[in-house]
Amino acid sequence: MPSPQSLSEEDRRIVAVWAADCAERVLPLFEAEAPDDDRARDAIARTRAFARGELGAAEEIRRRFVAGRAAKAVSSPAAVAAARAAAQAAGVAHMGAHALGAAAYAATAAALAAPERPDALDAEIAWQLARLSAEARAALATLPPLGHDSAGPLGPGLLASGLRGEVIRRLQAAVAVGAGD
């Protein structure tokens, strides 16, 4: 039985667009430190191609860790988080819950890149929610709450703690409210 964090392939293609948007928005933070490393950009492009139906889930599942390894090529926490946002976006082909991981890492990257702006995190989350289509919102609303299902990225691991966990909880609360619209 698949994890409730998986989502159908159709829903994964829908949320992949949003995950790619979130990751792409902070991509310059990674590229500023590693301008010749195209792994994060390629992961986002492949996520978009998966969303359009041009790439299959099985092929992308095998490639989902490539962008994550790009995080080792940079040193600033914002650039590392930006690379991880791209890796999480690439993981959507495997499991839909990675879309929330992409958003969480992207919001974290934005906040880390602007320590002088206490509103940076809130502004990024607001931008992300504004970019969320009704279809993606409905798909994300079917995911279990963070920390309630250990069979995927929303389990008790890295996404459930710290700033990433805070972002995902906020996104899930907003999605739940909007799901009734």
Side-chain angles (χ1 to χ4, degrees), residues 3 17 27 30 34 44-45 62 76 84 87-88 100 102 110 112 126 131-132 135 148 162-163 180:
S3 165
V17 173
L27 182 62
F30 172 79
I44 293 167
R62 288 189 298 275
S76 79
R84 290 187 176 149
Q88 288 284 319
L100 290 171
L112 290 169
R131 294 287 301 182
L132 195 55
E135 297 83 5
H148 285 74
L163 192 53

mmCIF file of all heavy atoms in Angstrom, residues 3 17 27 30 34 44-45 62 76 84 87-88 100 102 110 112 126 131-132 135 148 162-163 180:
data_model
loop_
_atom_site.group_PDB
_atom_site.id
_atom_site.type_symbol
_atom_site.label_atom_id
_atom_site.label_comp_id
_atom_site.label_asym_id
_atom_site.label_seq_id
_atom_site.Cartn_x
_atom_site.Cartn_y
_atom_site.Cartn_z
ATOM 1 N N SER A 3 2.251 5.058 0.539
ATOM 2 C CA SER A 3 2.163 6.027 1.634
ATOM 3 C C SER A 3 1.130 7.093 1.292
ATOM 4 O O SER A 3 1.004 7.499 0.127
ATOM 5 C CB SER A 3 3.524 6.679 1.835
ATOM 6 O OG SER A 3 3.412 7.841 2.631
ATOM 7 N N VAL A 17 4.746 21.665 -10.286
ATOM 8 C CA VAL A 17 4.850 23.028 -10.818
ATOM 9 C C VAL A 17 5.129 24.003 -9.686
ATOM 10 O O VAL A 17 6.036 24.846 -9.765
ATOM 11 C CB VAL A 17 3.556 23.433 -11.578
ATOM 12 C CG1 VAL A 17 3.590 24.897 -11.989
ATOM 13 C CG2 VAL A 17 3.333 22.522 -12.772
ATOM 14 N N LEU A 27 16.938 29.888 -6.369
ATOM 15 C CA LEU A 27 18.068 29.337 -7.113
ATOM 16 C C LEU A 27 19.249 30.308 -7.231
ATOM 17 O O LEU A 27 20.401 29.877 -7.128
ATOM 18 C CB LEU A 27 17.606 28.867 -8.493
ATOM 19 C CG LEU A 27 18.645 28.215 -9.382
ATOM 20 C CD1 LEU A 27 19.185 26.937 -8.740
ATOM 21 C CD2 LEU A 27 18.041 27.915 -10.751
ATOM 22 N N PHE A 30 22.001 29.821 -4.679
ATOM 23 C CA PHE A 30 22.927 28.716 -4.944
ATOM 24 C C PHE A 30 23.891 29.099 -6.056
ATOM 25 O O PHE A 30 25.107 28.937 -5.938
ATOM 26 C CB PHE A 30 22.154 27.447 -5.316
ATOM 27 C CG PHE A 30 23.049 26.332 -5.776
ATOM 28 C CD1 PHE A 30 23.735 25.559 -4.865
ATOM 29 C CD2 PHE A 30 23.217 26.084 -7.127
ATOM 30 C CE1 PHE A 30 24.583 24.544 -5.278
ATOM 31 C CE2 PHE A 30 24.056 25.066 -7.561
ATOM 32 C CZ PHE A 30 24.741 24.292 -6.631
ATOM 33 N N ALA A 34 27.986 28.923 -6.692
ATOM 34 C CA ALA A 34 28.430 27.838 -7.575
ATOM 35 C C ALA A 34 27.911 28.084 -8.992
ATOM 36 O O ALA A 34 27.073 27.335 -9.494
ATOM 37 C CB ALA A 34 27.930 26.502 -7.033
ATOM 38 N N ILE A 44 15.388 21.521 -11.275
ATOM 39 C CA ILE A 44 14.162 22.315 -11.420
ATOM 40 C C ILE A 44 13.595 22.157 -12.832
ATOM 41 O O ILE A 44 12.382 21.982 -13.009
ATOM 42 C CB ILE A 44 14.437 23.793 -11.070
ATOM 43 C CG1 ILE A 44 14.769 23.906 -9.570
ATOM 44 C CG2 ILE A 44 13.242 24.670 -11.433
ATOM 45 C CD1 ILE A 44 15.354 25.252 -9.172
ATOM 46 N N ALA A 45 14.457 22.182 -13.828
ATOM 47 C CA ALA A 45 13.998 21.991 -15.212
ATOM 48 C C ALA A 45 13.374 20.606 -15.388
ATOM 49 O O ALA A 45 12.341 20.462 -16.062
ATOM 50 C CB ALA A 45 15.163 22.183 -16.185
ATOM 51 N N ARG A 62 15.053 7.889 -9.956
ATOM 52 C CA ARG A 62 16.480 7.530 -9.952
ATOM 53 C C ARG A 62 17.376 8.758 -9.878
ATOM 54 O O ARG A 62 18.482 8.685 -9.379
ATOM 55 C CB ARG A 62 16.820 6.712 -11.190
ATOM 56 C CG ARG A 62 16.257 5.307 -11.157
ATOM 57 C CD ARG A 62 16.804 4.461 -12.286
ATOM 58 N NE ARG A 62 16.471 4.970 -13.615
ATOM 59 C CZ ARG A 62 15.343 4.717 -14.257
ATOM 60 N NH1 ARG A 62 14.408 3.980 -13.686
ATOM 61 N NH2 ARG A 62 15.118 5.200 -15.460
ATOM 62 N N SER A 76 27.446 28.655 2.272
ATOM 63 C CA SER A 76 26.523 29.486 3.043
ATOM 64 C C SER A 76 25.230 28.716 3.302
ATOM 65 O O SER A 76 24.755 27.977 2.436
ATOM 66 C CB SER A 76 26.211 30.799 2.319
ATOM 67 O OG SER A 76 25.261 30.599 1.300
ATOM 68 N N ARG A 84 18.924 22.358 -1.614
ATOM 69 C CA ARG A 84 18.021 21.345 -1.069
ATOM 70 C C ARG A 84 16.585 21.582 -1.510
ATOM 71 O O ARG A 84 15.809 20.635 -1.660
ATOM 72 C CB ARG A 84 18.156 21.290 0.448
ATOM 73 C CG ARG A 84 19.498 20.690 0.840
ATOM 74 C CD ARG A 84 19.647 20.459 2.301
ATOM 75 N NE ARG A 84 20.927 19.808 2.546
ATOM 76 C CZ ARG A 84 21.636 19.969 3.636
ATOM 77 N NH1 ARG A 84 21.193 20.749 4.614
ATOM 78 N NH2 ARG A 84 22.788 19.344 3.788
ATOM 79 N N ALA A 87 16.413 19.940 -4.777
ATOM 80 C CA ALA A 87 16.397 18.482 -4.601
ATOM 81 C C ALA A 87 15.022 18.000 -4.149
ATOM 82 O O ALA A 87 14.524 16.976 -4.635
ATOM 83 C CB ALA A 87 17.463 18.066 -3.585
ATOM 84 N N GLN A 88 14.397 18.729 -3.252
ATOM 85 C CA GLN A 88 13.056 18.361 -2.802
ATOM 86 C C GLN A 88 12.064 18.469 -3.959
ATOM 87 O O GLN A 88 11.178 17.627 -4.107
ATOM 88 C CB GLN A 88 12.621 19.238 -1.630
ATOM 89 C CG GLN A 88 13.338 18.944 -0.334
ATOM 90 C CD GLN A 88 12.853 17.685 0.341
ATOM 91 O OE1 GLN A 88 11.659 17.396 0.385
ATOM 92 N NE2 GLN A 88 13.791 16.907 0.864
ATOM 93 N N LEU A 100 6.146 20.121 -0.293
ATOM 94 C CA LEU A 100 6.220 20.920 0.935
ATOM 95 C C LEU A 100 7.663 21.076 1.388
ATOM 96 O O LEU A 100 8.045 22.122 1.926
ATOM 97 C CB LEU A 100 5.369 20.297 2.036
ATOM 98 C CG LEU A 100 3.858 20.375 1.812
ATOM 99 C CD1 LEU A 100 3.107 19.542 2.840
ATOM 100 C CD2 LEU A 100 3.385 21.827 1.844
ATOM 101 N N ALA A 102 10.236 21.262 -0.655
ATOM 102 C CA ALA A 102 10.812 22.276 -1.547
ATOM 103 C C ALA A 102 10.451 23.673 -1.058
ATOM 104 O O ALA A 102 11.305 24.564 -0.987
ATOM 105 C CB ALA A 102 10.327 22.064 -2.976
ATOM 106 N N ALA A 110 15.417 31.868 1.747
ATOM 107 C CA ALA A 110 15.080 33.292 1.643
ATOM 108 C C ALA A 110 15.308 34.005 2.971
ATOM 109 O O ALA A 110 15.847 35.114 3.006
ATOM 110 C CB ALA A 110 13.635 33.464 1.179
ATOM 111 N N LEU A 112 17.328 33.024 5.464
ATOM 112 C CA LEU A 112 18.758 33.038 5.776
ATOM 113 C C LEU A 112 19.519 34.063 4.948
ATOM 114 O O LEU A 112 20.510 34.634 5.409
ATOM 115 C CB LEU A 112 19.356 31.647 5.544
ATOM 116 C CG LEU A 112 18.936 30.560 6.530
ATOM 117 C CD1 LEU A 112 19.372 29.184 6.031
ATOM 118 C CD2 LEU A 112 19.505 30.856 7.919
ATOM 119 N N ALA A 126 4.112 33.884 2.073
ATOM 120 C CA ALA A 126 2.974 34.546 1.419
ATOM 121 C C ALA A 126 3.092 34.425 -0.103
ATOM 122 O O ALA A 126 2.092 34.152 -0.790
ATOM 123 C CB ALA A 126 2.908 36.017 1.830
ATOM 124 N N ARG A 131 1.174 31.631 -5.121
ATOM 125 C CA ARG A 131 1.486 30.884 -6.340
ATOM 126 C C ARG A 131 0.792 29.530 -6.401
ATOM 127 O O ARG A 131 0.842 28.851 -7.417
ATOM 128 C CB ARG A 131 2.999 30.638 -6.442
ATOM 129 C CG ARG A 131 3.844 31.856 -6.617
ATOM 130 C CD ARG A 131 3.737 32.438 -7.960
ATOM 131 N NE ARG A 131 4.142 31.486 -8.983
ATOM 132 C CZ ARG A 131 4.182 31.747 -10.260
ATOM 133 N NH1 ARG A 131 3.852 32.943 -10.690
ATOM 134 N NH2 ARG A 131 4.554 30.842 -11.139
ATOM 135 N N LEU A 132 0.164 29.130 -5.331
ATOM 136 C CA LEU A 132 -0.439 27.806 -5.224
ATOM 137 C C LEU A 132 -1.772 27.766 -5.963
ATOM 138 O O LEU A 132 -2.709 28.480 -5.614
ATOM 139 C CB LEU A 132 -0.646 27.488 -3.735
ATOM 140 C CG LEU A 132 -0.921 26.072 -3.314
ATOM 141 C CD1 LEU A 132 0.148 25.112 -3.802
ATOM 142 C CD2 LEU A 132 -1.002 26.006 -1.793
ATOM 143 N N GLU A 135 -5.818 23.524 -7.732
ATOM 144 C CA GLU A 135 -5.600 22.078 -7.870
ATOM 145 C C GLU A 135 -4.464 21.597 -6.979
ATOM 146 O O GLU A 135 -4.560 20.550 -6.345
ATOM 147 C CB GLU A 135 -5.310 21.714 -9.340
ATOM 148 C CG GLU A 135 -6.447 21.997 -10.284
ATOM 149 C CD GLU A 135 -6.502 23.459 -10.762
ATOM 150 O OE1 GLU A 135 -5.594 24.268 -10.446
ATOM 151 O OE2 GLU A 135 -7.490 23.783 -11.439
ATOM 152 N N HIS A 148 2.968 13.052 11.443
ATOM 153 C CA HIS A 148 1.953 12.049 11.760
ATOM 154 C C HIS A 148 2.080 10.751 10.982
ATOM 155 O O HIS A 148 1.378 9.793 11.268
ATOM 156 C CB HIS A 148 0.545 12.627 11.535
ATOM 157 C CG HIS A 148 0.127 13.570 12.603
ATOM 158 N ND1 HIS A 148 0.625 14.843 12.714
ATOM 159 C CD2 HIS A 148 -0.739 13.419 13.634
ATOM 160 C CE1 HIS A 148 0.084 15.435 13.757
ATOM 161 N NE2 HIS A 148 -0.753 14.595 14.340
ATOM 162 N N GLY A 162 12.893 22.473 13.395
ATOM 163 C CA GLY A 162 13.430 23.798 13.122
ATOM 164 C C GLY A 162 12.543 24.642 12.235
ATOM 165 O O GLY A 162 11.319 24.491 12.197
ATOM 166 N N LEU A 163 13.198 25.522 11.496
ATOM 167 C CA LEU A 163 12.491 26.459 10.631
ATOM 168 C C LEU A 163 11.713 25.744 9.534
ATOM 169 O O LEU A 163 10.597 26.136 9.198
ATOM 170 C CB LEU A 163 13.504 27.445 10.031
ATOM 171 C CG LEU A 163 12.952 28.675 9.334
ATOM 172 C CD1 LEU A 163 11.989 29.439 10.236
ATOM 173 C CD2 LEU A 163 14.108 29.564 8.902
ATOM 174 N N GLY A 180 -11.335 24.362 2.019
ATOM 175 C CA GLY A 180 -12.785 24.437 2.166
ATOM 176 C C GLY A 180 -13.426 25.497 1.276
ATOM 177 O O GLY A 180 -14.630 25.648 1.249
#
